[in-house]
Structures are given as C-alpha cells and as structure tokens.
Amino acid sequence: MQFFSVYDLLLNKVRENNRTPDDMYTFFRARKIKKSQIIELQQTAFIPAEENFRKALCDFLNMTELEIELSMGRIPASYRDSYFQNIKEIARLLSKAEDNTTSHFLPYYENELGCLYNGDCIKIMHSLPDACVDLVFADPPFNLGKVYDPGIDDSLTVSKYINWTYEWLDECVRILKPGGRIFIYNLPKWCVYIASHLGESLTFWAWIAIDMKFSLPIQSRLYPAHYGLVAFVKGTKATTFNNQRIPLQVCRHCGGELKDYGGYKNKMNPLGVNVSDVWTDIYPVRHKSDKNRKYNELSVKLLNRIISMATNEGDIVFDPFGGSGTTYAVAQLLNRKWMGCELGDCGIIKHRLINSRRDKEQLERIQEESGCLFTPSIMELRRKNGFWICEDFKGKDDTESMDGQLALDFSQE
Ligand SMILES: C[S@@+](CC[C@H](N)C(=O)[O-])C[C@H]1O[C@@H](n2cnc3c(N)ncnc32)[C@H](O)[C@@H]1O
C-alpha cells in the first residue's frame, strides 16, 4: 500500500488545475486556515481533527472524507465490512496486466564470493529471481538532507520517502528465501513504518535498539539516544540462529559491572552473556584512519554480529545500499557469499574488497574480544580493584554463589 499525506493530495490537485500553492493558501485563508497548518500536513498521515479544516479540505479536493481516506491508502474501520464483502469486485477493478519485463545488469565488480552492481537497487533487484538470498541487511539514507553522490536525493517529502522505502522493501522481501531474515537499520521514526509494512508479509523477529553515541539534544523532543534495527523472518521460523555472546558490560575506569547480577555471578557463562535486543557496544566509525569514506559508514562489529548470528558459511548476504561496502567486506571475511548495489561511487567498495587487510585485522580484534565474560585488560583491572573474576569460582559448589544464594543458570540459551 502506498503512503500519502493529505498534503500530497492537495499538491496533486494544485497541479491538476494548473494553479499555484499560493492560490491554495488563499483558498484556505478565506476559511480561517493558516498556511502553517497546511504545511504541517506534510509531516502527518492523518486528516486533521478540526471540523472546519476537514470541511475545507473536502471542498478544495472535491472529495468526501471517505474518498480522501481511500486516496491515502486506508480503509476506514467503519467501512471494513463492506470492503470484505466486495473483495471480488474490488480485485476486478484493480487488476492490471502484470509487467514481466526484467532488465539485465552487468556487475561493476565480481570476485569468487560476491558481486557488486553500480545502479539503482530497485531496478537491480527487479532483475534478480525470487527467493535467492539468505539475509538482507539494509542501511538506507535516512532522509536527513545529507549530501550523497549526484542523483541521490536525501530530502524527500515524508510520503515520497515512505513510498520509496516500501518499494525497495517489497523487492527485498521477494528475493529473500523462506526462513531468511531481513534487518533494516534506520531512525525509530522510519522504523515504525518499515516494521508495519514488513509485518504485512513477514513475521516479526526483533526490534533492536542500538545505542546512539554522541547525539545532540533536540528542542522540545526527547534526547535521541538509539537507532532502530528491525528484523523480520520470511515464514514463521528463521532457518539459522547462531547465538552471539558478548563480554559483561563494565565501567571502563574501575572494571565494576554496570548491572547488578546479585548472587548469580558463579553461574555466568565464562564465554560471555547472550546478546540482548539493546546493543550498547556498537560505536560509530569516527576515526579518520578507520574510515573508508567521509560519511555514513557502519562498523565492522555491527555487521559481524548480524551476519554471524543470521547466516552460516556459504549463505548469501544481500545489501541494497552499499555505501563504503562494510556488509560485503564482513560477509566475505566470514566466508559468506554476498551481493549488493550502490548508486553512487563504487570505486571505494571495490578498493576496500581488494585491500581487505584493515577489515581483517579489525574483525580478528572483535572476535578476540567476544566469546569471553571479561577481556584480558578488563580482567586485570577487575583483579586490581578487587572485583570477582570467573576463576574465583573454580572448584566451588556450583549451586551456591559467592555470597551463598541459590543461583540461576545464565549459561542456558
Ligand atoms: C547510509 S549509506 C550506507 C552505508 C553502508 N552501510 C556502510 O557501512 O558503508 C546509504 C548508501 O545508499 C546509497 N543509495 C542511495 N539510494 C540508492 C539506490 N536507490 N540504490 C542504491 N544505492 C543507493 C547511497 O549512495 C549511500 O552510499
């Protein structure tokens, strides 16, 4: 279903009648509706509540409220019964010949594990067969007005951004294999639409909050502190789930744990704690020496976690928005096959994939630092400051913790 705001309908009407937006504002001003109230409609997906505003909208658009709702892609609750009673007739009215034409694209770069296309991800996905990838990861532009390569507009109207998002999501869903998973990284404000749309054809798997470092407060709003990573599975059950263990969260100054694990310390798995749906250990790529390009590069650690958790060696990972190529670089280091597209400059990605030493070293460091409850440096810090470490419990009665309380088994999956 497409997303339309009332504002889109108004603009369409203005265009249809060869008028200007100023003519529209004059029309509404005569009905005591300010220009600012019209502009605000760009940000919302509903018809305003004020009676005179609704009436003026109907007059301007020459539509009933029901027609406005239907034009915005919604069936009002009070009409659902008649909608379902008339499904056959509606389907007949909607039916149109299916367009089966697909174009063929030549890869920009290929190696033994993967294939990169330079072009628009929607067009490229159109050329791919159904059910051909095991994992989709996507980190699209967030519509924040950032400057990307020519041909990429990051300042779309709300409805244009959402409709474009739905279009590439639908293709991602089509090319995903049954049991495969799709992970989309975005701001919570867009994740809401993404999750709702994916929920129409896939099964919810997780909504992960990724701690946003170094964010700035926004006036009259809650301080933004997380990115969303929404994950859905095709069918009802994911084919692969490799549990990921990470070190216990501790204070980097004293080494003390940030959460109180009470009397259960001796039952904690020395290989680390199971990863939850709040990820606080992912840092942005900020350092010049780590960056492959100036902006918008995700960390190797994030992609390592997603790809390791959701796929096995030999599986195919797809990312429609290549950027600097983090997904492909990590996928191939983990022995996964990969496929992807980038509308802008692909040279950076190719260079990164050919010169993979830095990513390899980073990945090795990340792998060394996971799979344990404390890293060697944190263990040393804890020893120095008198905090417990796993070795303290070796040989003790395993139903008792240090302070004698009955313990839960945190090591269970
Ligand atoms: C947020 S960045 C992705 C960054 C990437 N995850 C990384 O770690 O480097 C989004 C990328 O999508 C690309 N892009 C935007 N629209 C596109 C489209 N229609 N098809 C393919 N790529 C597109 C942009 O050029 C940009 O490089």
Side-chain angles (χ1 to χ4, degrees), residues 59-80:
D59 290 347
F60 186 83
L61 293 168
N62 190 22
M63 282 178 167
T64 63
E65 283 193 23
L66 173 62
E67 286 164 350
I68 295 178
E69 291 271 9
L70 292 175
S71 305
M72 289 169 69
R74 291 193 305 247
I75 316 287
S78 51
Y79 290 88
R80 296 229 165 110

mmCIF file with all atom_site columns, all heavy atoms in Angstrom, residues 59-80:
data_model
loop_
_atom_site.group_PDB
_atom_site.id
_atom_site.type_symbol
_atom_site.label_atom_id
_atom_site.label_alt_id
_atom_site.label_comp_id
_atom_site.label_asym_id
_atom_site.label_entity_id
_atom_site.label_seq_id
_atom_site.pdbx_PDB_ins_code
_atom_site.Cartn_x
_atom_site.Cartn_y
_atom_site.Cartn_z
_atom_site.occupancy
_atom_site.B_iso_or_equiv
_atom_site.pdbx_formal_charge
_atom_site.auth_seq_id
_atom_site.auth_comp_id
_atom_site.auth_asym_id
_atom_site.auth_atom_id
_atom_site.pdbx_PDB_model_num
ATOM 1   N N   . ASP A 1 59 ? -13.808 20.417 0.403  1.00 0.00 ? 59 ASP A N   1
ATOM 2   C CA  . ASP A 1 59 ? -14.210 21.372 -0.644 1.00 0.00 ? 59 ASP A CA  1
ATOM 3   C C   . ASP A 1 59 ? -13.090 21.555 -1.655 1.00 0.00 ? 59 ASP A C   1
ATOM 4   O O   . ASP A 1 59 ? -13.308 21.520 -2.859 1.00 0.00 ? 59 ASP A O   1
ATOM 5   C CB  . ASP A 1 59 ? -14.546 22.746 -0.019 1.00 0.00 ? 59 ASP A CB  1
ATOM 6   C CG  . ASP A 1 59 ? -15.842 22.674 0.791  1.00 0.00 ? 59 ASP A CG  1
ATOM 7   O OD1 . ASP A 1 59 ? -16.558 21.658 0.639  1.00 0.00 ? 59 ASP A OD1 1
ATOM 8   O OD2 . ASP A 1 59 ? -16.097 23.596 1.581  1.00 0.00 ? 59 ASP A OD2 1
ATOM 9   N N   . PHE A 1 60 ? -11.859 21.739 -1.141 1.00 0.00 ? 60 PHE A N   1
ATOM 10  C CA  . PHE A 1 60 ? -10.738 22.017 -2.050 1.00 0.00 ? 60 PHE A CA  1
ATOM 11  C C   . PHE A 1 60 ? -10.471 20.813 -2.962 1.00 0.00 ? 60 PHE A C   1
ATOM 12  O O   . PHE A 1 60 ? -10.228 20.959 -4.153 1.00 0.00 ? 60 PHE A O   1
ATOM 13  C CB  . PHE A 1 60 ? -9.477  22.356 -1.248 1.00 0.00 ? 60 PHE A CB  1
ATOM 14  C CG  . PHE A 1 60 ? -8.339  22.784 -2.122 1.00 0.00 ? 60 PHE A CG  1
ATOM 15  C CD1 . PHE A 1 60 ? -8.231  24.088 -2.576 1.00 0.00 ? 60 PHE A CD1 1
ATOM 16  C CD2 . PHE A 1 60 ? -7.373  21.861 -2.534 1.00 0.00 ? 60 PHE A CD2 1
ATOM 17  C CE1 . PHE A 1 60 ? -7.188  24.478 -3.411 1.00 0.00 ? 60 PHE A CE1 1
ATOM 18  C CE2 . PHE A 1 60 ? -6.333  22.234 -3.372 1.00 0.00 ? 60 PHE A CE2 1
ATOM 19  C CZ  . PHE A 1 60 ? -6.230  23.551 -3.814 1.00 0.00 ? 60 PHE A CZ  1
ATOM 20  N N   . LEU A 1 61 ? -10.535 19.628 -2.361 1.00 0.00 ? 61 LEU A N   1
ATOM 21  C CA  . LEU A 1 61 ? -10.198 18.418 -3.135 1.00 0.00 ? 61 LEU A CA  1
ATOM 22  C C   . LEU A 1 61 ? -11.383 17.888 -3.942 1.00 0.00 ? 61 LEU A C   1
ATOM 23  O O   . LEU A 1 61 ? -11.226 16.970 -4.755 1.00 0.00 ? 61 LEU A O   1
ATOM 24  C CB  . LEU A 1 61 ? -9.696  17.312 -2.192 1.00 0.00 ? 61 LEU A CB  1
ATOM 25  C CG  . LEU A 1 61 ? -8.369  17.586 -1.498 1.00 0.00 ? 61 LEU A CG  1
ATOM 26  C CD1 . LEU A 1 61 ? -8.117  16.568 -0.381 1.00 0.00 ? 61 LEU A CD1 1
ATOM 27  C CD2 . LEU A 1 61 ? -7.224  17.526 -2.514 1.00 0.00 ? 61 LEU A CD2 1
ATOM 28  N N   . ASN A 1 62 ? -12.568 18.447 -3.619 1.00 0.00 ? 62 ASN A N   1
ATOM 29  C CA  . ASN A 1 62 ? -13.787 17.954 -4.244 1.00 0.00 ? 62 ASN A CA  1
ATOM 30  C C   . ASN A 1 62 ? -13.943 16.450 -4.000 1.00 0.00 ? 62 ASN A C   1
ATOM 31  O O   . ASN A 1 62 ? -14.160 15.659 -4.911 1.00 0.00 ? 62 ASN A O   1
ATOM 32  C CB  . ASN A 1 62 ? -13.781 18.285 -5.748 1.00 0.00 ? 62 ASN A CB  1
ATOM 33  C CG  . ASN A 1 62 ? -15.136 18.016 -6.381 1.00 0.00 ? 62 ASN A CG  1
ATOM 34  O OD1 . ASN A 1 62 ? -16.142 17.995 -5.643 1.00 0.00 ? 62 ASN A OD1 1
ATOM 35  N ND2 . ASN A 1 62 ? -15.167 17.795 -7.684 1.00 0.00 ? 62 ASN A ND2 1
ATOM 36  N N   . MET A 1 63 ? -13.782 16.077 -2.730 1.00 0.00 ? 63 MET A N   1
ATOM 37  C CA  . MET A 1 63 ? -13.864 14.657 -2.329 1.00 0.00 ? 63 MET A CA  1
ATOM 38  C C   . MET A 1 63 ? -14.616 14.554 -1.014 1.00 0.00 ? 63 MET A C   1
ATOM 39  O O   . MET A 1 63 ? -14.618 15.506 -0.222 1.00 0.00 ? 63 MET A O   1
ATOM 40  C CB  . MET A 1 63 ? -12.454 14.105 -2.060 1.00 0.00 ? 63 MET A CB  1
ATOM 41  C CG  . MET A 1 63 ? -11.651 13.754 -3.250 1.00 0.00 ? 63 MET A CG  1
ATOM 42  S SD  . MET A 1 63 ? -10.033 13.204 -2.667 1.00 0.00 ? 63 MET A SD  1
ATOM 43  C CE  . MET A 1 63 ? -9.385  12.479 -4.123 1.00 0.00 ? 63 MET A CE  1
ATOM 44  N N   . THR A 1 64 ? -15.194 13.376 -0.772 1.00 0.00 ? 64 THR A N   1
ATOM 45  C CA  . THR A 1 64 ? -15.753 13.119 0.555  1.00 0.00 ? 64 THR A CA  1
ATOM 46  C C   . THR A 1 64 ? -14.601 12.669 1.466  1.00 0.00 ? 64 THR A C   1
ATOM 47  O O   . THR A 1 64 ? -13.519 12.336 0.970  1.00 0.00 ? 64 THR A O   1
ATOM 48  C CB  . THR A 1 64 ? -16.786 11.976 0.503  1.00 0.00 ? 64 THR A CB  1
ATOM 49  O OG1 . THR A 1 64 ? -16.075 10.802 0.083  1.00 0.00 ? 64 THR A OG1 1
ATOM 50  C CG2 . THR A 1 64 ? -17.929 12.290 -0.450 1.00 0.00 ? 64 THR A CG2 1
ATOM 51  N N   . GLU A 1 65 ? -14.883 12.632 2.775  1.00 0.00 ? 65 GLU A N   1
ATOM 52  C CA  . GLU A 1 65 ? -13.813 12.168 3.683  1.00 0.00 ? 65 GLU A CA  1
ATOM 53  C C   . GLU A 1 65 ? -13.423 10.732 3.363  1.00 0.00 ? 65 GLU A C   1
ATOM 54  O O   . GLU A 1 65 ? -12.252 10.361 3.436  1.00 0.00 ? 65 GLU A O   1
ATOM 55  C CB  . GLU A 1 65 ? -14.244 12.304 5.148  1.00 0.00 ? 65 GLU A CB  1
ATOM 56  C CG  . GLU A 1 65 ? -14.140 13.737 5.598  1.00 0.00 ? 65 GLU A CG  1
ATOM 57  C CD  . GLU A 1 65 ? -14.253 13.911 7.091  1.00 0.00 ? 65 GLU A CD  1
ATOM 58  O OE1 . GLU A 1 65 ? -13.984 12.934 7.837  1.00 0.00 ? 65 GLU A OE1 1
ATOM 59  O OE2 . GLU A 1 65 ? -14.638 15.001 7.520  1.00 0.00 ? 65 GLU A OE2 1
ATOM 60  N N   . LEU A 1 66 ? -14.408 9.904  2.981  1.00 0.00 ? 66 LEU A N   1
ATOM 61  C CA  . LEU A 1 66 ? -14.086 8.513  2.643  1.00 0.00 ? 66 LEU A CA  1
ATOM 62  C C   . LEU A 1 66 ? -13.150 8.475  1.436  1.00 0.00 ? 66 LEU A C   1
ATOM 63  O O   . LEU A 1 66 ? -12.162 7.734  1.425  1.00 0.00 ? 66 LEU A O   1
ATOM 64  C CB  . LEU A 1 66 ? -15.371 7.722  2.364  1.00 0.00 ? 66 LEU A CB  1
ATOM 65  C CG  . LEU A 1 66 ? -15.132 6.297  1.833  1.00 0.00 ? 66 LEU A CG  1
ATOM 66  C CD1 . LEU A 1 66 ? -14.365 5.445  2.840  1.00 0.00 ? 66 LEU A CD1 1
ATOM 67  C CD2 . LEU A 1 66 ? -16.454 5.611  1.479  1.00 0.00 ? 66 LEU A CD2 1
ATOM 68  N N   . GLU A 1 67 ? -13.439 9.307  0.435  1.00 0.00 ? 67 GLU A N   1
ATOM 69  C CA  . GLU A 1 67 ? -12.571 9.315  -0.758 1.00 0.00 ? 67 GLU A CA  1
ATOM 70  C C   . GLU A 1 67 ? -11.151 9.775  -0.402 1.00 0.00 ? 67 GLU A C   1
ATOM 71  O O   . GLU A 1 67 ? -10.175 9.255  -0.942 1.00 0.00 ? 67 GLU A O   1
ATOM 72  C CB  . GLU A 1 67 ? -13.174 10.220 -1.843 1.00 0.00 ? 67 GLU A CB  1
ATOM 73  C CG  . GLU A 1 67 ? -14.378 9.579  -2.515 1.00 0.00 ? 67 GLU A CG  1
ATOM 74  C CD  . GLU A 1 67 ? -15.232 10.572 -3.302 1.00 0.00 ? 67 GLU A CD  1
ATOM 75  O OE1 . GLU A 1 67 ? -15.016 11.801 -3.187 1.00 0.00 ? 67 GLU A OE1 1
ATOM 76  O OE2 . GLU A 1 67 ? -16.119 10.113 -4.021 1.00 0.00 ? 67 GLU A OE2 1
ATOM 77  N N   . ILE A 1 68 ? -11.072 10.727 0.538  1.00 0.00 ? 68 ILE A N   1
ATOM 78  C CA  . ILE A 1 68 ? -9.725  11.185 0.950  1.00 0.00 ? 68 ILE A CA  1
ATOM 79  C C   . ILE A 1 68 ? -8.985  10.029 1.624  1.00 0.00 ? 68 ILE A C   1
ATOM 80  O O   . ILE A 1 68 ? -7.834  9.736  1.304  1.00 0.00 ? 68 ILE A O   1
ATOM 81  C CB  . ILE A 1 68 ? -9.815  12.419 1.890  1.00 0.00 ? 68 ILE A CB  1
ATOM 82  C CG1 . ILE A 1 68 ? -10.404 13.604 1.128  1.00 0.00 ? 68 ILE A CG1 1
ATOM 83  C CG2 . ILE A 1 68 ? -8.446  12.768 2.461  1.00 0.00 ? 68 ILE A CG2 1
ATOM 84  C CD1 . ILE A 1 68 ? -10.584 14.863 1.948  1.00 0.00 ? 68 ILE A CD1 1
ATOM 85  N N   . GLU A 1 69 ? -9.671  9.348  2.534  1.00 0.00 ? 69 GLU A N   1
ATOM 86  C CA  . GLU A 1 69 ? -9.032  8.204  3.238  1.00 0.00 ? 69 GLU A CA  1
ATOM 87  C C   . GLU A 1 69 ? -8.559  7.153  2.238  1.00 0.00 ? 69 GLU A C   1
ATOM 88  O O   . GLU A 1 69 ? -7.446  6.658  2.308  1.00 0.00 ? 69 GLU A O   1
ATOM 89  C CB  . GLU A 1 69 ? -10.017 7.541  4.209  1.00 0.00 ? 69 GLU A CB  1
ATOM 90  C CG  . GLU A 1 69 ? -10.385 8.377  5.426  1.00 0.00 ? 69 GLU A CG  1
ATOM 91  C CD  . GLU A 1 69 ? -9.452  8.178  6.598  1.00 0.00 ? 69 GLU A CD  1
ATOM 92  O OE1 . GLU A 1 69 ? -8.417  7.523  6.439  1.00 0.00 ? 69 GLU A OE1 1
ATOM 93  O OE2 . GLU A 1 69 ? -9.768  8.710  7.678  1.00 0.00 ? 69 GLU A OE2 1
ATOM 94  N N   . LEU A 1 70 ? -9.440  6.818  1.278  1.00 0.00 ? 70 LEU A N   1
ATOM 95  C CA  . LEU A 1 70 ? -9.073  5.793  0.288  1.00 0.00 ? 70 LEU A CA  1
ATOM 96  C C   . LEU A 1 70 ? -7.888  6.261  -0.556 1.00 0.00 ? 70 LEU A C   1
ATOM 97  O O   . LEU A 1 70 ? -6.983  5.474  -0.856 1.00 0.00 ? 70 LEU A O   1
ATOM 98  C CB  . LEU A 1 70 ? -10.266 5.478  -0.621 1.00 0.00 ? 70 LEU A CB  1
ATOM 99  C CG  . LEU A 1 70 ? -11.450 4.774  0.024  1.00 0.00 ? 70 LEU A CG  1
ATOM 100 C CD1 . LEU A 1 70 ? -12.606 4.637  -0.966 1.00 0.00 ? 70 LEU A CD1 1
ATOM 101 C CD2 . LEU A 1 70 ? -11.067 3.384  0.536  1.00 0.00 ? 70 LEU A CD2 1
ATOM 102 N N   . SER A 1 71 ? -7.858  7.550  -0.884 1.00 0.00 ? 71 SER A N   1
ATOM 103 C CA  . SER A 1 71 ? -6.734  8.074  -1.675 1.00 0.00 ? 71 SER A CA  1
ATOM 104 C C   . SER A 1 71 ? -5.442  8.013  -0.886 1.00 0.00 ? 71 SER A C   1
ATOM 105 O O   . SER A 1 71 ? -4.359  8.011  -1.460 1.00 0.00 ? 71 SER A O   1
ATOM 106 C CB  . SER A 1 71 ? -6.970  9.524  -2.077 1.00 0.00 ? 71 SER A CB  1
ATOM 107 O OG  . SER A 1 71 ? -8.173  9.635  -2.741 1.00 0.00 ? 71 SER A OG  1
ATOM 108 N N   . MET A 1 72 ? -5.564  8.027  0.436  1.00 0.00 ? 72 MET A N   1
ATOM 109 C CA  . MET A 1 72 ? -4.353  7.945  1.270  1.00 0.00 ? 72 MET A CA  1
ATOM 110 C C   . MET A 1 72 ? -3.967  6.498  1.544  1.00 0.00 ? 72 MET A C   1
ATOM 111 O O   . MET A 1 72 ? -3.057  6.225  2.327  1.00 0.00 ? 72 MET A O   1
ATOM 112 C CB  . MET A 1 72 ? -4.582  8.698  2.586  1.00 0.00 ? 72 MET A CB  1
ATOM 113 C CG  . MET A 1 72 ? -4.642  10.209 2.376  1.00 0.00 ? 72 MET A CG  1
ATOM 114 S SD  . MET A 1 72 ? -5.220  11.066 3.825  1.00 0.00 ? 72 MET A SD  1
ATOM 115 C CE  . MET A 1 72 ? -3.884  10.820 4.924  1.00 0.00 ? 72 MET A CE  1
ATOM 116 N N   . GLY A 1 73 ? -4.682  5.570  0.925  1.00 0.00 ? 73 GLY A N   1
ATOM 117 C CA  . GLY A 1 73 ? -4.302  4.156  1.043  1.00 0.00 ? 73 GLY A CA  1
ATOM 118 C C   . GLY A 1 73 ? -4.885  3.474  2.265  1.00 0.00 ? 73 GLY A C   1
ATOM 119 O O   . GLY A 1 73 ? -4.315  2.504  2.748  1.00 0.00 ? 73 GLY A O   1
ATOM 120 N N   . ARG A 1 74 ? -6.013  4.018  2.789  1.00 0.00 ? 74 ARG A N   1
ATOM 121 C CA  . ARG A 1 74 ? -6.562  3.385  4.002  1.00 0.00 ? 74 ARG A CA  1
ATOM 122 C C   . ARG A 1 74 ? -8.039  3.080  3.847  1.00 0.00 ? 74 ARG A C   1
ATOM 123 O O   . ARG A 1 74 ? -8.762  3.797  3.172  1.00 0.00 ? 74 ARG A O   1
ATOM 124 C CB  . ARG A 1 74 ? -6.394  4.345  5.190  1.00 0.00 ? 74 ARG A CB  1
ATOM 125 C CG  . ARG A 1 74 ? -4.974  4.529  5.585  1.00 0.00 ? 74 ARG A CG  1
ATOM 126 C CD  . ARG A 1 74 ? -4.919  5.201  6.925  1.00 0.00 ? 74 ARG A CD  1
ATOM 127 N NE  . ARG A 1 74 ? -5.651  6.446  6.937  1.00 0.00 ? 74 ARG A NE  1
ATOM 128 C CZ  . ARG A 1 74 ? -5.065  7.636  7.082  1.00 0.00 ? 74 ARG A CZ  1
ATOM 129 N NH1 . ARG A 1 74 ? -3.772  7.707  7.238  1.00 0.00 ? 74 ARG A NH1 1
ATOM 130 N NH2 . ARG A 1 74 ? -5.784  8.725  7.108  1.00 0.00 ? 74 ARG A NH2 1
ATOM 131 N N   . ILE A 1 75 ? -8.471  2.005  4.513  1.00 0.00 ? 75 ILE A N   1
ATOM 132 C CA  . ILE A 1 75 ? -9.900  1.678  4.564  1.00 0.00 ? 75 ILE A CA  1
ATOM 133 C C   . ILE A 1 75 ? -10.365 2.051  5.972  1.00 0.00 ? 75 ILE A C   1
ATOM 134 O O   . ILE A 1 75 ? -9.935  1.412  6.943  1.00 0.00 ? 75 ILE A O   1
ATOM 135 C CB  . ILE A 1 75 ? -10.150 0.161  4.381  1.00 0.00 ? 75 ILE A CB  1
ATOM 136 C CG1 . ILE A 1 75 ? -9.309  -0.443 3.266  1.00 0.00 ? 75 ILE A CG1 1
ATOM 137 C CG2 . ILE A 1 75 ? -11.634 -0.148 4.238  1.00 0.00 ? 75 ILE A CG2 1
ATOM 138 C CD1 . ILE A 1 75 ? -9.687  -0.125 1.882  1.00 0.00 ? 75 ILE A CD1 1
ATOM 139 N N   . PRO A 1 76 ? -11.204 3.074  6.123  1.00 0.00 ? 76 PRO A N   1
ATOM 140 C CA  . PRO A 1 76 ? -11.649 3.435  7.474  1.00 0.00 ? 76 PRO A CA  1
ATOM 141 C C   . PRO A 1 76 ? -12.355 2.260  8.145  1.00 0.00 ? 76 PRO A C   1
ATOM 142 O O   . PRO A 1 76 ? -13.046 1.484  7.480  1.00 0.00 ? 76 PRO A O   1
ATOM 143 C CB  . PRO A 1 76 ? -12.614 4.599  7.240  1.00 0.00 ? 76 PRO A CB  1
ATOM 144 C CG  . PRO A 1 76 ? -12.326 5.085  5.868  1.00 0.00 ? 76 PRO A CG  1
ATOM 145 C CD  . PRO A 1 76 ? -11.798 3.927  5.094  1.00 0.00 ? 76 PRO A CD  1
ATOM 146 N N   . ALA A 1 77 ? -12.183 2.141  9.472  1.00 0.00 ? 77 ALA A N   1
ATOM 147 C CA  . ALA A 1 77 ? -12.698 0.977  10.210 1.00 0.00 ? 77 ALA A CA  1
ATOM 148 C C   . ALA A 1 77 ? -14.186 0.736  9.944  1.00 0.00 ? 77 ALA A C   1
ATOM 149 O O   . ALA A 1 77 ? -14.614 -0.403 9.752  1.00 0.00 ? 77 ALA A O   1
ATOM 150 C CB  . ALA A 1 77 ? -12.440 1.177  11.696 1.00 0.00 ? 77 ALA A CB  1
ATOM 151 N N   . SER A 1 78 ? -14.980 1.807  9.841  1.00 0.00 ? 78 SER A N   1
ATOM 152 C CA  . SER A 1 78 ? -16.429 1.618  9.694  1.00 0.00 ? 78 SER A CA  1
ATOM 153 C C   . SER A 1 78 ? -16.805 1.074  8.307  1.00 0.00 ? 78 SER A C   1
ATOM 154 O O   . SER A 1 78 ? -17.958 0.725  8.072  1.00 0.00 ? 78 SER A O   1
ATOM 155 C CB  . SER A 1 78 ? -17.139 2.939  9.966  1.00 0.00 ? 78 SER A CB  1
ATOM 156 O OG  . SER A 1 78 ? -16.537 3.936  9.193  1.00 0.00 ? 78 SER A OG  1
ATOM 157 N N   . TYR A 1 79 ? -15.837 1.026  7.367  1.00 0.00 ? 79 TYR A N   1
ATOM 158 C CA  . TYR A 1 79 ? -16.149 0.511  6.025  1.00 0.00 ? 79 TYR A CA  1
ATOM 159 C C   . TYR A 1 79 ? -15.558 -0.870 5.791  1.00 0.00 ? 79 TYR A C   1
ATOM 160 O O   . TYR A 1 79 ? -15.645 -1.413 4.703  1.00 0.00 ? 79 TYR A O   1
ATOM 161 C CB  . TYR A 1 79 ? -15.602 1.468  4.954  1.00 0.00 ? 79 TYR A CB  1
ATOM 162 C CG  . TYR A 1 79 ? -16.364 2.769  4.897  1.00 0.00 ? 79 TYR A CG  1
ATOM 163 C CD1 . TYR A 1 79 ? -15.985 3.830  5.706  1.00 0.00 ? 79 TYR A CD1 1
ATOM 164 C CD2 . TYR A 1 79 ? -17.476 2.926  4.073  1.00 0.00 ? 79 TYR A CD2 1
ATOM 165 C CE1 . TYR A 1 79 ? -16.686 5.027  5.684  1.00 0.00 ? 79 TYR A CE1 1
ATOM 166 C CE2 . TYR A 1 79 ? -18.186 4.114  4.042  1.00 0.00 ? 79 TYR A CE2 1
ATOM 167 C CZ  . TYR A 1 79 ? -17.780 5.159  4.848  1.00 0.00 ? 79 TYR A CZ  1
ATOM 168 O OH  . TYR A 1 79 ? -18.475 6.324  4.823  1.00 0.00 ? 79 TYR A OH  1
ATOM 169 N N   . ARG A 1 80 ? -14.897 -1.435 6.827  1.00 0.00 ? 80 ARG A N   1
ATOM 170 C CA  . ARG A 1 80 ? -14.174 -2.699 6.595  1.00 0.00 ? 80 ARG A CA  1
ATOM 171 C C   . ARG A 1 80 ? -15.109 -3.826 6.172  1.00 0.00 ? 80 ARG A C   1
ATOM 172 O O   . ARG A 1 80 ? -14.768 -4.596 5.286  1.00 0.00 ? 80 ARG A O   1
ATOM 173 C CB  . ARG A 1 80 ? -13.381 -3.105 7.844  1.00 0.00 ? 80 ARG A CB  1
ATOM 174 C CG  . ARG A 1 80 ? -12.319 -2.086 8.142  1.00 0.00 ? 80 ARG A CG  1
ATOM 175 C CD  . ARG A 1 80 ? -10.958 -2.671 8.388  1.00 0.00 ? 80 ARG A CD  1
ATOM 176 N NE  . ARG A 1 80 ? -10.029 -1.543 8.297  1.00 0.00 ? 80 ARG A NE  1
ATOM 177 C CZ  . ARG A 1 80 ? -9.364  -1.015 9.296  1.00 0.00 ? 80 ARG A CZ  1
ATOM 178 N NH1 . ARG A 1 80 ? -9.436  -1.555 10.487 1.00 0.00 ? 80 ARG A NH1 1
ATOM 179 N NH2 . ARG A 1 80 ? -8.588  0.023  9.126  1.00 0.00 ? 80 ARG A NH2 1
#
